[in-house]
Amino acid sequence: MPAWELPVYSRTRVAKAGREVAKHLQAGLGETTIDVKRALVDDIAVINNFRASHAFPLNTFQTALRAKSREIDPNAIVAQRLKRMPTIIDKLRRFPDMNLSRMQDIGGCRAVMASIESVYDLSKAFENRKVSHILANKKDYIKEPKASGYRGIHLIYKYVSDRNDTYNNYHIEVQVRSQLQHAWATAVETAGMLLKQQLKSSQGEERWLEFFAYASSAISFLEGTPHLHTQCDRVQVANALREVAASLHAFELLRAVSTTMQLRENQPDMVSAGYFILVVNTESQELSVYTFKKNEAKRASSAYETVEHDNRNNENIETVLVSVESFTSLKSAYPNYYGDASVFIETIEEFISA
């Protein structure tokens, strides 16, 4: 058995699977869930294979990103993940004309750096590598933050190999962000899981979206970068943030998740693991971690599909397949699955009390 998932279907078939799922959702026959009727079982299998086959090119970029990031910041956090199936399906719902075979972020890796300066140093160093891969797109969301307040640098590459063309032209997304930008982004995901709202996609309660937008501007002031609320000075941002946070009891809510989340380690061999399936139950406040060795990428992908399928109708379950250097760095890379927004809370509370 090959160590990596091989693509079984043509790009034409992948694109068709995406169109069929999008058409189904447009017709109102299902929601953003894996269980989109028996007629689409084959299409979901196609999407699963396409997603899993990103693992090899993704690992290639993650390895290079880790090497480059450590040259600049020895404490950089580097991780990779395959996009969650509900997120893929939700994206197809929101953008029904999207060609799934060209979706740019099914495989993504990320480096979290100590400072803004190191973010730009890494981005430049990574872009300047002499490789056959093609930089297809670049977005600097630090200079131009998203309307949600999201910030970071995104590099979209096309994987190209002259030795084996199996995965050629697969898109891989490389993200580079600072520690404070990472704290903000993962706090958004923590709140989204808790509230069962797609805050990450700018969908959800307006006051929560406003809270995180002002929080992003606060962090921009701390980092000396452009911010969303260009008409406001630092004091005005702090006052607005204080008011909306109090109306939502935002800090109390986020703290409560962190203190009640219980970790269940389902396998004892955490040290040698390279892949982790994280399964969080927002109702019982439990996080389960399933581990796989570094040479078990295909087995991990298969198990991931099974876990997603088994929990497809449970809105309280969030699951993701990730890879980090060690179990000890797992919480730093994905604090949202631990319900941990402590860095975000401390940063914003200090900003509004200054």
Side-chain angles (χ1 to χ4, degrees), residues 121-169:
D121 287 345
L122 175 57
S123 177
K124 183 178 179 180
F126 200 79
E127 288 180 67
N128 289 340
R129 295 174 307 137
K130 293 182 179 180
V131 293
S132 57
H133 312 304
I134 299 170
L135 179 61
N137 197 3
K138 177 181 178 179
K139 296 289 186 181
D140 187 339
Y141 294 117
I142 298 176
K143 291 181 179 177
E144 296 183 13
K146 286 188 176 183
S148 63
Y150 176 84
R151 297 181 307 129
I153 294 177
H154 288 198
L155 307 173
I156 306 296
Y157 279 91
K158 282 187 178 180
Y159 177 89
V160 177
S161 171
D162 55 8
R163 291 183 295 178
N164 184 346
D165 63 1
T166 302
Y167 304 101
N168 278 0
N169 296 318

Side-chain angles (χ1 to χ4, degrees), residues 8-78:
V8 175
Y9 306 95
S10 69
R11 299 297 177 86
T12 301
R13 179 66 182 92
V14 171
K16 181 183 177 183
R19 287 195 304 271
E20 290 299 313
V21 171
K23 183 172 67 176
H24 172 88
L25 295 170
Q26 277 186 308
L29 300 177
E31 300 298 328
T32 55
T33 169
I34 302 172
D35 190 17
V36 291
K37 301 290 183 182
R38 182 176 296 276
L40 293 179
V41 168
D42 288 345
D43 293 310
I44 293 301
V46 172
I47 297 174
N48 269 323
N49 172 255
F50 182 60
R51 176 181 64 172
S53 63
H54 280 71
F56 178 79
L58 175 56
N59 185 69
T60 300
F61 277 90
Q62 174 266 133
T63 301
L65 184 64
R66 174 171 286 116
K68 281 295 179 185
S69 65
R70 295 294 164 79
E71 292 175 6
I72 297 167
D73 177 5
N75 297 314
I77 300 168
V78 177

Side-chain angles (χ1 to χ4, degrees), residues 127-293:
E127 288 180 67
N128 289 340
R129 295 174 307 137
K130 293 182 179 180
V131 293
S132 57
H133 312 304
I134 299 170
L135 179 61
N137 197 3
K138 177 181 178 179
K139 296 289 186 181
D140 187 339
Y141 294 117
I142 298 176
K143 291 181 179 177
E144 296 183 13
K146 286 188 176 183
S148 63
Y150 176 84
R151 297 181 307 129
I153 294 177
H154 288 198
L155 307 173
I156 306 296
Y157 279 91
K158 282 187 178 180
Y159 177 89
V160 177
S161 171
D162 55 8
R163 291 183 295 178
N164 184 346
D165 63 1
T166 302
Y167 304 101
N168 278 0
N169 296 318
Y170 269 52
H171 287 90
I172 299 296
E173 181 182 68
V174 176
Q175 298 179 1
V176 188
R177 57 172 70 153
S178 71
Q179 290 177 356
L180 290 182
Q181 290 163 0
H182 185 59
W184 179 92
T186 52
V188 170
E189 295 193 34
T190 298
M193 282 196 299
L194 179 66
L195 300 168
K196 296 181 174 58
Q197 298 177 27
Q198 294 293 322
L199 299 178
K200 182 180 178 181
S201 301
S202 297
Q203 302 175 74
E205 191 177 339
E206 190 61 36
R207 285 295 265 175
W208 275 102
L209 297 174
E210 184 181 7
F211 167 71
F212 281 113
Y214 276 116
S216 171
S217 287
I219 293 174
S220 292
F221 273 110
L222 295 174
E223 294 187 321
T225 61
H227 58 90
L228 284 176
H229 303 88
T230 54
Q231 76 282 9
C232 298
D233 61 22
R234 178 174 177 142
V235 172
Q236 290 171 316
V237 168
N239 289 339
L241 186 50
R242 186 183 301 109
E243 187 275 327
V244 69
S247 70
L248 292 169
H249 302 287
F251 299 131
E252 294 85 349
L253 194 70
L254 290 171
R255 278 200 180 91
V257 181
S258 180
T259 56
T260 57
M261 186 69 73
Q262 301 295 316
L263 173 63
R264 288 188 174 183
E265 299 174 4
N266 289 284
Q267 296 187 32
D269 189 14
M270 293 292 194
V271 177
S272 63
Y275 292 90
F276 303 85
I277 296 177
L278 308 182
V279 183
V280 61
N281 187 318
T282 57
E283 183 177 43
S284 64
Q285 297 290 288
E286 291 180 336
L287 170 65
S288 299
V289 181
Y290 300 87
T291 64
F292 302 84
K293 294 180 180 179

Side-chain angles (χ1 to χ4, degrees), residues 309-353:
H309 182 271
D310 290 347
N311 294 286
R312 64 193 182 280
N313 295 320
N314 190 340
E315 65 174 6
N316 297 311
I317 298 294
E318 296 270 353
T319 182
V320 69
L321 171 63
V322 304
S323 178
V324 292
E325 192 169 21
S326 67
F327 177 70
T328 55
S329 62
L330 186 61
K331 186 174 181 180
S332 298
Y334 296 95
N336 46 304
Y337 281 86
Y338 289 77
D340 184 5
S342 57
V343 174
F344 170 80
I345 294 170
E346 292 166 9
T347 300
I348 301 305
E349 284 189 327
E350 184 176 339
F351 178 86
I352 63 179
S353 64

